[in-house]
Structures are given as C-alpha cells and as structure tokens.
Amino acid sequence: MSILIFLIPIALVLWITGKFFQASVFGNGVNVNEHQYPEINQIVKESAQRLDLKVLPKTFIINAQGMTNALAVKYLTGRYVVLFSDLIDLLWEDDQQKNQIRFVIAHELAHHAAGHTNFWSNLLMKPAMFIPFLGAAYSRARELTCDRIAAALVQDQKACTNALISIVSGSRELITLTNKAAFINQEHQVPSGFGFFQEILSSHPRMTKRVIAIEAHTNSTLSLNPVEIA
C-alpha cells in the first residue's frame, strides 16, 4: 500500500505532463505521417521496425529558432521523436539514401529501443545518480550506445560521421570541404586536464570523441565481418 501511495502521484504527474506535451507538439509542430512528409515517415517506420519497436513513436518537426537538435521523449501517454527543423535543413541531402538524417532518426529511436526513455527504469537509477559524476557518465554512455546502434542500422560510416560534423559546423555547404581527419585530430589538441573535467561534467561526449567512436566501431565490425570480393 505504501508503494502505491508513492507511485500513484508520480503516475498522475506523468499523465498530466504527457497531455500538456501532446497539446504542445500537436498544436505547435508538424506531425510526420504517411500524409505529411512521407519520406521522413518512411525512414522512421523502417528504422523502428529494424529496432523491433512494437509501437511507432509519434514524430514531429518543430521550429526551434535555429537550434540543430533532436529529442526522444516518453510519457505515459506515448513515445515521441522531435526533430528540429534547422537540423532537417542542415542534413537533408539530394541523394536517394538520406543517410545523414536516417542516422539522426535511428539514434533517437535507439533511445526508445534501449529503454533510455523508460521512466520507471530511470527512477530505479535515481539513487545511483547522487554519486558525483555518475549520472553524466551514464548519459554519455547512452549517447555512444545510440550512435553505435544508429551506425549499425545505416551502414554508411561517411554519412554518420558527416551528420555529426555538420551539426558541429552548422553548415551544410561546408561538409564536402571538411577534412574529417583534421577534425578528429582536434581531440588530441584538447588540454588533457581541462578536457577531463569538461567531459565528466557533460551529459554528451565531445563530438570529436563521438566521430572517433563511430569510426572505431564500424571498422571493428567490418574486420569481424569481412566482405568477400569475387
């Protein structure tokens, strides 16, 4: 009974918060579906299916006033993926694959598939979060996990790393001119002590580290699964 007394108010707050969020995104965003941006909708459906998500998260495009980001959100009332419009403009490609935006969508869906947005799991983790720096470290680990999952789905290392570097530069036009090796080398120019403290306080790994991690993961996957050339 004491557990119910504790859980019922939490469930009620989650339900109310979810309804407010639903009112906001349906009233101030564009819902992606088969009738609205069908190409993006197809990417969401295909990625969700490959991740074995039984319930397709509702996807929205919102205007975030120049911010380039994406979010995975879950309430009692449902799961959501929110894509900022400037991110779409930055990563949308002219080719048929759309692998850069596919990587971002797969990353956000991976948060749902891996249980990162599950409130009750996060609630159970709360006591550990009071240990200094552990919460940020756990968050960074989740981001790297979702990067790896998304890269595995997309199977296009160049598109995945280009997506991250494009978010850093904020320029779609410059991506073809960007020297990826030089960008990766910037990690070696991060002051070791200050870089350490900057990292342990951050919820996300540095983009240089994320690019390095994707390259290392995809290269190791290729080495484990060699392609036969006839």
Side-chain angles (χ1 to χ4, degrees):
M1 180 63 71
S2 59
I3 295 177
L4 286 177
I5 293 174
F6 173 69
L7 292 180
I8 289 174
I10 293 176
L12 181 60
V13 169
L14 279 177
W15 182 82
I16 292 172
T17 305
K19 288 300 182 183
F20 272 112
F21 181 83
Q22 185 178 349
S24 177
V25 291
F26 272 100
N28 298 297
V30 182
N31 182 210
V32 176
N33 53 54
E34 62 270 19
H35 306 296
Q36 192 75 268
Y37 312 139
E39 194 167 3
I40 297 177
N41 184 62
Q42 188 61 30
I43 292 173
V44 174
K45 288 178 63 177
E46 290 174 357
S47 299
Q49 184 177 19
R50 294 181 64 189
L51 289 168
D52 199 29
L53 284 171
K54 304 303 181 185
V55 179
L56 185 68
K58 294 180 176 64
T59 302
F60 288 85
I61 310 292
I62 66 167
N63 183 351
Q65 306 298 322
M67 294 179 64
T68 54
N69 204 355
L71 306 170
V73 184
K74 183 179 184 296
Y75 295 100
L76 291 182
T77 51
R79 296 176 175 181
Y80 302 88
V81 168
V82 179
L83 304 170
F84 293 6
S85 57
D86 282 272
L87 178 69
I88 300 294
D89 290 344
L90 180 64
L91 300 182
W92 197 255
E93 300 170 287
D94 296 327
D95 67 281
Q96 296 301 308
Q97 299 304 314
K98 303 292 187 294
N99 278 342
Q100 290 191 41
I101 195 64
R102 193 183 302 273
F103 169 77
V104 171
I105 290 172
H107 175 102
E108 300 307 328
L109 289 173
H111 278 300
H112 287 300
H116 297 164
T117 58
N118 185 286
F119 175 81
W120 304 112
S121 297
N122 287 329
L123 184 65
L124 291 174
M125 287 291 296
K126 281 296 181 185
M129 298 306 177
F130 287 103
I131 300 174
F133 312 119
L134 183 60
Y138 177 58
S139 177
R140 292 195 302 274
R142 294 195 305 184
E143 294 303 320
L144 291 174
T145 295
C146 291
D147 279 350
R148 289 194 292 269
I149 293 172
L153 257 64
V154 175
Q155 292 289 299
D156 184 343
Q157 184 190 88
K158 181 179 179 181
C160 297
T161 55
N162 279 356
L164 294 178
I165 296 172
S166 293
I167 293 171
V168 173
S169 70
S171 172
R172 179 180 175 184
E173 299 301 324
L174 287 177
I175 190 58
T176 57
L177 304 175
T178 302
N179 185 321
K180 182 172 64 175
F183 176 76
I184 289 174
N185 189 56
Q186 291 176 200
E187 177 59 30
H188 303 300
Q189 300 175 55
V190 174
S192 56
F194 288 98
F196 170 76
F197 285 110
Q198 179 270 331
E199 182 173 45
I200 64 175
L201 296 172
S202 301
S203 61
H204 286 57
R206 289 190 289 273
M207 280 297 196
T208 46
K209 282 198 166 185
R210 290 176 69 176
V211 171
I212 291 169
I214 285 178
E215 293 226 314
H217 176 70
T218 53
N219 289 339
S220 65
T221 303
L222 286 173
S223 66
L224 290 172
N225 300 280
V227 178
E228 294 185 4
I229 302 175

